[in-house]
Amino acid sequence: MKSEDIKRSRSLNGKVVSNKMAKTVTVLVERRLKHPLYEKFITRSKKYQAHVENNNINIGDIVLIEECRPISKTKNWLVKELLVCTKKDF
């Protein structure tokens, strides 16, 4: 098997904005790009539905999501790991 045959899956970092669905979180991914004419930085954002097996992720957490096979109509991302947890457990 050659190195060209290995398929790389896309991965993105984002902030969880909703966890109301069962086994699904909504992740907001923001990216900054420079305007071609005015050369000011613009923030573009997009929301992705991501699958999480156990619902231990809260709103405001920063997660790493990875592209996977379609799980449902809108869900083809998988939460790979929790990067920053905002809720403190005392």
Side-chain angles (χ1 to χ4, degrees):
M1 191 156 124
K2 297 180 182 178
S3 62
E4 299 94 36
D5 295 339
I6 298 172
K7 184 179 178 184
R8 289 190 167 190
S9 57
R10 290 175 44 196
S11 60
L12 300 169
N13 294 340
K15 184 177 184 179
V16 176
V17 292
S18 174
N19 62 352
K20 293 181 180 179
M21 297 168 278
K23 296 188 178 184
T24 305
V25 292
T26 303
V27 180
L28 179 72
V29 176
E30 292 183 338
R31 60 188 180 94
R32 289 172 46 93
L33 57 98
K34 193 179 248 188
H35 192 279
L37 177 63
Y38 301 115
E39 297 184 354
K40 290 186 78 170
F41 283 100
I42 305 167
T43 303
R44 298 284 187 212
S45 61
K46 188 168 180 184
K47 290 181 184 177
Y48 296 97
Q49 307 287 329
H51 180 77
V52 58
E53 196 57 43
N54 47 4
N55 288 340
N56 58 352
I57 296 178
N58 298 310
I59 295 174
D61 292 349
I62 307 295
V63 294
L64 175 71
I65 59 174
E66 187 176 72
E67 197 171 29
C68 65
R69 64 177 178 80
I71 298 170
S72 70
K73 181 181 175 181
T74 59
K75 222 173 23 169
N76 56 0
W77 292 86
L78 181 69
V79 174
K80 203 64 177 172
E81 68 177 288
L82 178 64
L83 298 176
V84 178
C85 183
T86 56
K87 185 177 180 182
K88 306 228 188 288
D89 294 327
F90 292 105

